[in-house]
């Protein structure tokens, strides 16, 4: 999907605004070259103020991307493209992020056991506008980022059916420590994959980055430069 525009991307400074090892692995596996800059955006948006879980994920993703772009825009070579993503799990109208502790992970997996939940990932792609002039307010505060950058957002949803899990299976899995840095309390790409009965939708979305949807959007962004 990206092969026709890879020569263009290779000349861009691309930044992944995430410390997620899964997102890094997915993007490295397709041959993309990029820097990693973790965002300091505080992920504390009010979940109840969003109509859909994917709206919350996209708003968080946008906050991460804008924070990184704002910080790096002062550098001698600012990014041409910033990639950011946020992944949440939703079931019965409740949004689940990373568990706070082991007990929280146990409770999440116990709720998912034998049922279908949905993994939502919101992705933000920021690119610099041509001939943009950087403006600051008179107090030297926030920059007018929306006037400087093109913001493209999309989301992906994948349904996951969890197997029927006994309490001892859940406890032993949580005790491995794999739950603690993953939305929903499991990692499908490792031991957590043994807990999953089936997946409907993009597999990589459950890992935290919908690579096919991303590739389609990037191709559309750069195809006219070929």
């Amino acid at each position: 999907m990206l092969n026709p525009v890879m020569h263009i991307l290779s000349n861009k400074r691309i930044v992944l605004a995430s410390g997620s090892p899964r997102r890094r692995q997915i993007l490295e596996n397709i041959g993309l070259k990029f820097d990693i800059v973790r965002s300091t955006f505080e992920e504390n948006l009010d979940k109840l103020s969003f109509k859909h879980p994917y709206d919350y994920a996209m708003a968080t993703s946008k906050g991460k991307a804008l924070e990184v772009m704002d910080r790096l825009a002062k550098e001698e070579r600012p990014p041409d493209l910033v990639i950011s993503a946020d992944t949440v799990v939703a079931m019965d109208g409740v949004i689940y992020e990373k568990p706070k502790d082991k007990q929280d992970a146990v409770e999440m997996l116990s709720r998912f056991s034998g049922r279908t939940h949905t993994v939502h990932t919101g992705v933000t792609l920021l690119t610099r506008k041509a001939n943009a002039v950087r403006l600051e307010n008179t107090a030297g505060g926030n920059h007018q980022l929306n006037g400087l950058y093109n913001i493209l957002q999309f989301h992906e949803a994948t349904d996951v059916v969890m197997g029927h899990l006994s309490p001892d299976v859940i406890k032993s899995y949580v005790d491995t420590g794999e739950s603690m840095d993953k939305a929903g309390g499991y990692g499908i790409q490792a031991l957590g994959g043994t807990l999953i009965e089936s997946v409907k939708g993009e597999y990589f979305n459950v890992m935290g980055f919908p690579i096919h949807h991303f590739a389609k959007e990037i191709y559309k962004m750069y195809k006219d430069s070929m």
Side-chain angles (χ1 to χ4, degrees):
M1 178 70 73
L2 286 181
N3 284 347
V5 296
M6 271 299 193
H7 66 288
I8 299 170
L9 296 174
S10 66
N11 292 318
K12 304 289 184 182
R13 185 188 177 195
I14 301 173
V15 171
L16 175 62
S18 172
S20 165
R22 275 82 59 191
R23 293 187 183 119
R24 176 178 181 172
Q25 177 188 4
I26 291 169
L27 290 172
E28 286 180 340
N29 284 350
I30 64 169
L32 199 65
K33 304 300 182 184
F34 55 91
D35 300 326
I36 296 175
V37 179
R38 297 188 64 153
S39 176
T40 60
F41 176 74
E42 292 189 22
E43 299 179 40
N44 57 1
L45 300 177
D46 181 8
K47 298 181 183 66
L48 298 179
S49 66
F50 295 91
K51 186 175 182 180
H52 300 290
Y54 60 78
D55 291 326
Y56 170 77
M58 288 201 295
T60 301
S61 169
K62 182 178 177 180
K64 292 178 183 178
L66 288 173
E67 186 282 321
V68 168
M69 183 67 94
D70 186 29
R71 186 158 28 111
L72 301 185
K74 307 175 184 69
E75 295 186 352
E76 184 175 345
R77 187 189 178 190
D80 298 298
L81 169 66
V82 169
I83 304 166
S84 179
D86 187 65
T87 300
V88 299
V89 170
M91 188 178 73
D92 298 335
V94 177
I95 294 174
Y96 298 89
E97 297 184 276
K98 298 172 184 176
K100 300 179 181 68
D101 51 36
K102 283 188 174 184
Q103 184 57 37
D104 193 26
V106 167
E107 291 174 3
M108 283 185 189
L109 294 173
S110 297
R111 293 189 189 103
F112 299 155
S113 176
R115 301 190 60 196
T116 300
H117 60 267
T118 304
V119 179
H120 298 275
T121 300
V123 179
T124 300
L125 306 177
L126 290 187
T127 56
R128 290 190 289 142
K129 289 183 178 179
N131 302 317
V133 177
R134 186 175 182 79
L135 300 174
E136 297 189 12
N137 63 25
T138 55
N142 292 331
H143 304 100
Q144 298 176 14
L145 289 170
N146 290 357
L148 289 172
Y149 305 107
N150 299 303
I151 302 176
L152 187 152
Q153 290 194 281
F154 62 88
H155 77 276
E156 190 74 28
T158 303
D159 290 333
V160 178
V161 180
M162 187 76 74
H164 291 272
L165 311 177
S166 64
D168 63 312
V169 167
I170 293 174
K171 182 180 183 304
S172 62
Y173 174 69
V174 171
D175 283 344
T176 67
E178 189 176 279
S179 296
M180 302 315 298
D181 65 339
K182 298 171 181 67
Y186 68 93
I188 193 171
Q189 72 282 358
L191 281 172
T194 66
L195 310 179
I196 304 305
E197 187 173 302
S198 63
V199 174
K200 183 179 180 181
E202 187 174 343
Y203 169 85
F204 289 103
N205 186 48
V206 186
M207 282 182 65
F209 198 80
I211 192 63
H212 178 68
H213 200 157
F214 166 78
K216 288 195 301 182
E217 298 298 338
I218 290 292
Y219 175 75
K220 287 189 289 186
M221 285 173 63
Y222 291 105
K223 66 178 181 177
D224 291 338
S225 301
M226 292 167 54

